[in-house]
Amino acid sequence: MKKIFLSTFLFLSSLINAQTFILSGKVSDKNEALPFATIIVKGTTQGTNSNINGLYTLKLPAGTYDIVYQYVGYSKRTERIELNENKTQNITLTTDGVALKEVEIKAGEDPAVAIIKKAVKKRKYYLNQLDAYTCKAYIKGLQRIDKLPKNLSKLIKFSGGNPSDTNDLKGVVYLSESESKYHFKKTNNEKEIMYSSKVSGNNKAFSFNQLSDMKVNFYQNLVEMGNLSSRPFVSPINQNAFLYYRFYLIGKITTEGKVINKIKVVPKRKTDPCFRGIIYIQDSTWRITSADLLLTKDAKINFVDTLYIKQIHSPVIGDSIWMPFTLYFGFKFNAFGFMGNGYFNANIKEYDLKPNFTPNFFKNEVFVVEEGANKKDSVYWVANRAVPLTSEEKFDYRKKDSTEKITDTDKYKDSVDRKSNKFNVSNLILGYNYRVTKNNFSIAFPGIVTDGFQYNTVEGYNLSYKFSINKSFEDFRNYSITGKSRYGFSNKLWGGELGFNYLFKPKKFSRFGIIVKSIFEQYNQQDPISPLVNSLYSLYLNRNYMKAFKETGVELNYFTEVKNGIYFNSTIKYVERDVLKNTSDYLIRDDKNILFTSNDPRSDFSHDSIFTTNNALSAEVSFSFRFKQKYYSLPHQKIISGSKYPRLSIIYKKAFPYLNTTANYDLASAVITDDIKLGLFGKFSYKLRGGGFLNTQKLLFMDFKYFLGNQTVFNTNDYLSSFRLLPYYTFSADKWYTEAHGEHHFNGFIINKLPLIKKLKVQEVIGGHFLASNKLKYYYELNFGIEKIFKIIRIDYVLGYAPNTKFNQGFTIGLNAAF
């Protein structure tokens, strides 16, 4: 009987111990909830966060635990909890002021200075403390819009929409949860695998949440913030921190026998790329235990007005290794009349400081979304969600998920299409789109604002019009059909182009296309002068810079990624090239001292053509290499994140004298380009290009090597591939050439230190450009510019010099390179 009783007791005991119970409650101070507080099981890496209302849940096996409750700016609290059933434990934390020791600050240096100096000395040690580790992260992101532009409803009505649709734009616009495992190995190796993802209202989408984007490490001298800024931010314990910050010791907090220094961080100059707020540094070890910092518009951040960064670190092994358990990004924005806020909060757990990685685990894949990550059901999320949903979040999920069940039906999509496909007068200006949403099919016609009426001396006034047909599939394959028609009212010639492009293997970027055309083309088919600029210069300044011929034929192209970072591109063309001559001399403003030049690029006033009608058959192949290219892998998709090495391209072009063709030449060339980040000093970009004709048995002028020149005040070409003052065709090469371009973007390094001027929020840029060829011994340009004027405009002062000529100079205006 005793044996039976003992067996039963042991069985029931093991059953109870195997059960999982829920510890839940609310973390608050005396007056209000504490959002995103950290709750950790002492001595482990298990824990959770409270939600925005201070509520938390933590699932644990039966047992007795010491639970640690932490919040930035509040004293840590530890509670012993015996868990043998679901239990509610509400916690009230007290501010640092309760445990704050009075600090005597004597005349002279603030005590914080000595503490920061010691933290700076230990910075490299903590930065390199771990060789490798892994951890898991639960991340929740939410963005909401609180206010809309005043005239938004009028704009929607003008474009044919329903003004009441603006009501759906307010409130939560993005809500997502994700779980991922992050892997780190010293020497810049990292990889994150997202194994679950949920996006409110879109069960086919994947979350934007990434721990690698939130992992701000203040032990680094400079903190990169991705697209948030073009320059990095100075860490409060940067090796030159005292050049950028002032520090004030607010007090000392004693917790669990350890003294934590609470230090206020203040930038010396408002416009420096610096944080402001509070950091907590432990005595004797001089490590950062937590941070409550922010960035403002003064620090030149993009997209948001204010970014709040909170971190809570806790020990993983004794007191020797501390790691972040809570990472929080909060933000507010106000742009174009839209006002709102949001956050991303990461709860990190299950640190492994001695992981075993397979030899090829890292390579170049830095982020992976597993197949089926977005297919986890509500039961899974109830069981695995680390942070409870708020009532707002629950409502958003219910509303959008139920709405999606309706909006994802063919019946609903057809009803929306019938409404949006109705044509109205505004479509003539803004363009017209016809959609069959259920089939992912659309036809787009641009408005007269984006296409249309131009002038050149060959066609006179001319009208161009384009259209496109697009079809996409759920596996990201897609095809498009594009068309363009053109009519010259003076030469009375029609032209047109029809193209087909099919992306058939998205993860390899593999696509092929065909173009059939008979249309007006510039001799330099890089189109060095835009039709609009040429129209203005021709009509008002008597400067008809655009020179063109007619090209009729067919072109086939193919592109693919052979292996990660190695790209192959090929083009085959069979075309007829016809002469075009000036047929119009119309002017709006006539300068009697300036005459229109002929359409012959090599002879301004000879209207006899430099060539006769001819045929050409050519093929061009190229290989591009992006060494150690990093990338993201999603189901059916690959996203390139870049490489720290230069990009090399090798190109070979051959014209064959077959099928009644004239051209016969071989051209080999190569291009090297790279962007080099120089920290606070900005970014240096360069492009080196060179090549030569290996065979010139029959080389016509339209087959010469052209360069992107400019003879107007408007620069519409790529800044890193073009010259600002070089004539369009004068120095085109027929044997060999070499060119070099370099620009340094200071990103405000100089201007931000100049009183008054720094308030303009512009940035400085300088550049140098070089060209040499068999037609030109050398040509130099230097440019000094101001960019980001009104965020999008750039103005340059340019000096140019060539043999046997005086210095040439001028101003150019254009759009920022990144716009």
Side-chain angles (χ1 to χ4, degrees):
M1 192 70 180
K2 287 182 179 179
K3 290 182 179 178
I4 295 173
F5 177 78
L6 181 61
S7 298
T8 303
F9 176 77
L10 292 173
F11 172 74
L12 292 174
S13 297
S14 63
L15 187 64
I16 291 172
N17 289 331
Q19 283 185 285
T20 298
F21 297 107
I22 298 175
L23 174 66
S24 62
K26 184 174 184 178
V27 183
S28 60
D29 63 11
K30 293 179 180 180
N31 300 312
E32 57 186 20
L34 296 179
F36 311 114
T38 302
I39 300 96
I40 302 173
V41 180
K42 189 174 182 178
T44 75
T45 61
Q46 294 293 323
T48 186
N49 294 145
S50 63
N51 66 17
I52 200 167
N53 296 324
L55 301 176
Y56 74 94
T57 59
L58 182 60
K59 297 175 183 177
L60 295 168
T64 301
Y65 302 93
D66 289 327
I67 308 296
V68 181
Y69 297 85
Q70 293 175 265
Y71 193 79
V72 177
Y74 287 73
S75 296
K76 185 189 299 184
R77 180 172 169 178
T78 303
E79 291 287 326
R80 173 152 289 195
I81 306 291
E82 185 176 343
L83 200 63
N84 50 29
E85 61 180 348
N86 292 340
K87 188 169 186 177
T88 300
Q89 182 73 42
N90 296 322
I91 294 293
T92 301
L93 298 182
T94 56
T95 60
D96 290 336
V98 175
L100 200 62
K101 292 183 177 180
E102 292 296 328
V103 178
E104 183 182 353
I105 300 179
K106 299 178 180 179
E109 187 175 77
D110 191 286
V113 173
I115 297 169
I116 293 296
K117 285 181 178 178
K118 292 174 182 177
V120 170
K121 286 183 179 180
K122 294 285 285 186
R123 182 188 64 80
K124 283 187 178 180
Y125 171 76
Y126 289 121
L127 180 64
N128 299 301
Q129 189 176 21
L130 292 178
D131 291 327
Y133 69 88
T134 65
C135 61
K136 289 184 177 180
Y138 163 84
I139 304 176
K140 184 192 292 182
L142 181 144
Q143 288 89 55
R144 63 173 67 84
I145 292 178
D146 299 322
K147 186 178 180 181
L148 301 173
K150 292 181 180 179
N151 297 320
L152 182 62
S153 58
K154 293 181 180 178
L155 180 61
I156 291 176
K157 184 177 180 180
F158 177 75
S159 60
N162 186 350
S164 63
D165 290 344
T166 56
N167 297 327
D168 296 330
L169 299 178
K170 291 182 70 174
V172 176
V173 294
Y174 174 78
L175 170 61
S176 175
E177 300 173 274
S178 67
E179 293 178 301
S180 61
K181 187 170 183 178
Y182 178 80
H183 309 76
F184 170 83
K185 187 178 180 181
K186 199 181 288 184
T187 66
N188 201 31
N189 287 317
E190 65 175 2
K191 185 174 183 177
E192 185 172 357
I193 301 174
M194 182 183 290
Y195 54 88
S196 61
S197 169
K198 182 176 177 63
V199 179
S200 180
N202 191 343
N203 61 21
K204 297 178 182 178
F206 295 102
S207 172
F208 298 146
N209 309 340
Q210 287 180 235
L211 181 62
S212 49
D213 286 343
M214 299 182 67
K215 208 171 61 66
V216 173
N217 190 345
F218 292 113
Y219 292 120
Q220 294 177 328
N221 262 324
L222 299 174
V223 179
E224 295 281 352
M225 300 291 286
N227 293 327
L228 192 68
S229 177
S230 56
R231 58 182 181 170
F233 295 90
V234 180
S235 167
I237 57 170
N238 179 287
Q239 62 185 8
N240 297 312
F242 296 102
L243 296 177
Y244 296 93
Y245 290 102
R246 293 186 177 91
F247 300 96
Y248 303 95
L249 182 60
I250 304 301
K252 290 178 178 287
I253 309 149
T254 301
T255 177
E256 297 181 345
K258 298 179 177 62
V259 177
I260 308 294
N261 299 285
K262 182 178 181 180
I263 297 173
K264 186 178 182 180
V265 176
V266 180
K268 285 188 173 181
R269 292 166 293 273
K270 288 175 64 176
T271 54
D272 275 351
C274 293
F275 303 91
R276 61 177 66 241
I278 304 292
I279 57 171
Y280 295 80
I281 296 178
Q282 189 182 59
D283 255 359
S284 71
T285 62
W286 314 115
R287 65 161 56 89
I288 297 173
T289 61
S290 57
D292 188 359
L293 301 170
L294 61 89
L295 294 168
T296 67
K297 274 290 186 184
D298 290 330
K300 305 295 175 61
I301 54 177
N302 302 321
F303 310 121
V304 297
D305 295 327
T306 307
L307 177 70
Y308 303 91
I309 301 172
K310 293 183 181 183
Q311 296 185 349
I312 293 180
H313 298 217
S314 289
V316 176
I317 297 179
D319 194 49
S320 61
I321 297 177
W322 288 49
M323 298 296 286
F325 278 70
T326 298
L327 299 176
Y328 171 83
F329 281 9
F331 55 86
K332 295 179 180 178
F333 61 88
N334 183 358
F336 306 108
F338 291 91
M339 293 180 63
N341 61 80
Y343 70 84
F344 287 92
N345 185 71
N347 168 239
I348 309 170
K349 62 181 181 180
E350 297 184 28
Y351 278 100
D352 180 0
L353 305 186
K354 294 183 179 180
N356 292 315
F357 299 122
T358 58
N360 295 319
F361 177 77
F362 285 101
K363 282 196 168 181
N364 299 303
E365 188 180 45
V366 295
F367 184 73
V368 180
V369 177
E370 289 186 343
E371 191 81 36
N374 58 349
K375 305 301 180 185
K376 307 292 176 68
D377 60 18
S378 58
V379 175
Y380 173 90
W381 285 103
V382 169
N384 291 276
R385 178 177 288 119
V387 179
L389 295 176
T390 65
S391 56
E392 179 188 40
E393 293 162 354
K394 290 177 183 177
F395 175 77
D396 191 72
Y397 272 135
R398 284 196 303 269
K399 176 186 173 183
K400 290 180 180 174
D401 289 349
S402 60
T403 301
E404 185 185 20
K405 291 177 182 178
I406 299 172
T407 58
D408 204 35
T409 62
D410 289 349
K411 182 179 179 180
Y412 178 83
K413 292 175 182 178
D414 289 342
S415 67
V416 173
D417 286 343
R418 280 194 298 271
K419 184 177 179 180
S420 63
N421 288 341
K422 289 181 180 179
F423 186 86
N424 61 65
V425 177
S426 64
N427 295 131
L428 292 173
I429 301 172
L430 301 176
Y432 174 72
N433 291 311
Y434 176 83
R435 297 183 182 90
V436 183
T437 307
K438 65 183 179 184
N439 296 328
N440 296 314
F441 178 84
S442 65
I443 304 175
F445 299 94
I448 60 175
V449 171
T450 55
D451 227 73
F453 218 44
Q454 305 291 349
Y455 176 84
N456 60 70
T457 54
V458 173
E459 299 171 298
Y461 280 105
N462 58 86
L463 183 65
S464 295
Y465 200 73
K466 303 174 184 177
F467 74 90
S468 63
I469 300 172
N470 298 280
K471 165 69 178 177
S472 60
F473 303 88
E474 288 191 0
D475 60 1
F476 285 86
R477 290 179 300 116
N478 68 73
Y479 68 78
S480 63
I481 299 173
T482 57
K484 179 168 62 175
S485 62
R486 184 183 184 106
Y487 180 72
F489 290 93
S490 179
N491 66 357
K492 295 180 173 54
L493 287 179
W494 281 95
E497 181 176 288
L498 187 65
F500 173 81
N501 190 77
Y502 179 42
L503 176 66
F504 61 91
K505 194 178 290 185
K507 282 203 135 182
K508 286 288 188 179
F509 310 102
S510 301
R511 61 180 183 266
F512 68 83
I514 181 171
I515 299 173
V516 179
K517 63 180 179 179
S518 178
I519 204 164
F520 176 103
E521 296 278 9
Q522 293 190 48
Y523 277 90
N524 182 350
Q525 294 191 12
Q526 300 175 84
D527 294 341
I529 182 168
S530 78
L532 177 60
V533 172
N534 182 72
S535 299
L536 295 174
Y537 266 74
S538 298
L539 292 170
Y540 290 94
L541 299 175
N542 293 50
R543 303 286 189 183
N544 58 324
Y545 290 121
M546 184 181 288
K547 310 300 176 187
F549 64 97
K550 187 174 184 180
E551 187 170 80
T552 303
V554 62
E555 174 182 321
L556 303 174
N557 57 75
Y558 173 76
F559 178 88
T560 192
E561 185 180 41
V562 180
K563 195 176 180 181
N564 181 52
I566 302 176
Y567 299 90
F568 172 75
N569 192 20
S570 62
T571 303
I572 300 174
K573 289 174 65 174
Y574 183 80
V575 293
E576 178 184 81
R577 285 93 68 95
D578 292 318
V579 179
L580 293 175
K581 296 183 178 182
N582 288 345
T583 63
S584 175
D585 58 3
Y586 180 77
L587 291 163
I588 293 177
R589 176 186 173 276
D590 189 9
D591 186 337
K592 302 297 183 181
N593 297 316
I594 302 175
L595 299 175
F596 278 144
T597 57
S598 74
N599 191 45
D600 182 344
R602 305 183 71 180
S603 178
D604 286 345
F605 302 106
S606 171
H607 292 280
D608 294 327
S609 176
I610 57 175
F611 72 94
T612 58
T613 298
N614 65 88
N615 297 331
L617 172 63
S618 64
E620 180 175 300
V621 295
S622 68
F623 282 95
S624 294
F625 303 88
R626 300 187 72 175
F627 304 102
K628 293 191 175 181
Q629 171 185 271
K630 305 292 184 182
Y631 63 93
Y632 297 170
S633 289
L634 282 71
H636 312 300
Q637 195 178 13
K638 179 177 181 179
I639 301 173
I640 307 304
S641 65
S643 169
K644 64 179 181 179
Y645 297 98
R647 179 171 183 165
L648 169 66
S649 297
I650 299 172
I651 308 104
Y652 193 90
K653 186 175 182 180
K654 167 71 176 176
F656 302 93
Y658 305 128
L659 301 178
N660 194 33
T661 60
T662 304
N664 183 2
Y665 63 87
D666 294 76
L667 172 63
S669 59
V671 182
I672 300 177
T673 185
D674 195 16
D675 296 323
I676 302 172
K677 293 182 178 180
L678 299 173
L680 297 176
F681 296 98
K683 181 183 73 173
F684 177 71
S685 302
Y686 70 86
K687 181 175 286 186
L688 308 176
R689 182 159 39 201
F693 288 92
L694 308 179
N695 158 39
T696 57
Q697 290 188 36
K698 190 62 176 179
L699 186 67
L700 300 175
F701 185 70
M702 68 271 295
D703 298 316
F704 280 26
K705 173 58 188 176
Y706 299 112
F707 309 104
L708 279 172
N710 183 45
Q711 293 175 256
T712 74
V713 72
F714 300 104
N715 184 41
T716 58
N717 298 316
D718 174 30
Y719 286 100
L720 205 60
S721 300
S722 63
F723 300 90
R724 316 304 193 270
L725 305 177
L726 185 74
Y728 293 111
Y729 293 104
T730 305
F731 302 112
S732 302
D734 60 358
K735 290 184 180 178
W736 63 269
Y737 70 94
T738 181
E739 58 181 307
H741 304 270
E743 287 202 336
H744 184 76
H745 299 262
F746 287 93
N747 296 337
F749 179 77
I750 299 172
I751 286 179
N752 285 336
K753 295 176 176 60
L754 302 177
L756 299 179
I757 296 178
K758 64 183 180 182
K759 293 184 178 181
L760 299 174
K761 298 183 179 180
V762 296
Q763 297 180 359
E764 62 277 30
V765 57
I766 62 171
H769 309 267
F770 171 79
L771 174 65
S773 72
N774 62 291
K775 293 293 185 72
L776 183 64
K777 186 176 180 181
Y778 58 80
Y779 175 77
Y780 300 97
E781 275 188 3
L782 292 174
N783 61 279
F784 307 87
I786 299 295
E787 57 185 350
K788 296 197 174 179
I789 303 170
F790 304 118
K791 295 186 179 181
I792 63 171
I793 296 173
R794 170 172 165 174
I795 296 177
D796 285 273
Y797 171 67
V798 190
L799 288 170
Y801 180 72
N804 305 318
T805 65
K806 296 180 180 180
F807 277 106
N808 193 10
Q809 61 181 332
F811 286 91
T812 63
I813 183 171
L815 298 178
N816 292 334
F819 183 73

